[in-house]
Amino acid sequence: HVQLVESGGGSLQAGGSLRLSCAFSKDTFCMGWFRQAPGKEREGVAGIGSDGTTTYADSVKGRFAISVDNAKNTLDLQMNSLKPEDTAMYYCAARPGIFCSASARLSDYNHWGQGTQVTVS
């Protein structure tokens, strides 16, 4: 079992930047970020593979960047040029695996954090 704790959410104006962080308890998991807006289904934002490859939702490509620091056991999401449609609860997710490809598919993940709210106006 892995514990995931997100931080870094907040409220800001469109065009601004925010960095989310997820502290995880084990480093043998593959990671990703998801979000869920009110009234909408949870969707994949970004994923990172064990070889450092990344994948992004089309809506955030060129604006968001996912990274992992295995020495600190943190998964980050740098979000730039934020838009009102980025408003959502953001979740860190993990799935067991040492060697894995980057994935932002909901069905690939079975461990979830509690989420951190991002509001863009």
Side-chain angles (χ1 to χ4, degrees):
H1 184 70
V2 61
Q3 291 184 323
L4 306 169
V5 180
E6 301 95 336
S7 62
S11 298
L12 71 167
Q13 293 187 338
S17 297
L18 205 59
R19 189 176 185 88
L20 305 183
S21 187
C22 171
F24 54 89
S25 58
K26 294 182 179 180
D27 61 2
T28 55
F29 283 72
C30 302
M31 313 287 292
W33 283 99
F34 292 76
R35 68 186 180 186
Q36 188 167 15
K40 294 188 177 181
E41 294 185 351
R42 192 170 298 189
E43 63 176 2
V45 174
I48 187 165
S50 55
D51 60 354
T53 56
T54 57
T55 187
Y56 296 93
D58 288 343
S59 59
V60 306
K61 281 180 182 177
R63 300 189 298 121
F64 290 13
I66 187 172
S67 61
V68 63
D69 187 334
N70 285 313
K72 296 181 179 179
N73 278 15
T74 58
L75 176 76
D76 291 342
L77 185 68
Q78 177 67 41
M79 305 186 295
N80 300 323
S81 302
L82 282 161
K83 305 175 181 180
E85 50 264 43
D86 294 318
T87 294
M89 185 72 79
Y90 282 72
Y91 297 91
C92 174
R95 68 192 198 276
I98 298 175
F99 301 105
C100 55
S101 57
S103 171
R105 287 190 301 268
L106 195 68
S107 59
D108 282 345
Y109 292 86
N110 54 9
H111 293 81
W112 298 89
Q114 294 299 309
T116 185
Q117 179 68 36
V118 173
T119 303
V120 186
S121 59

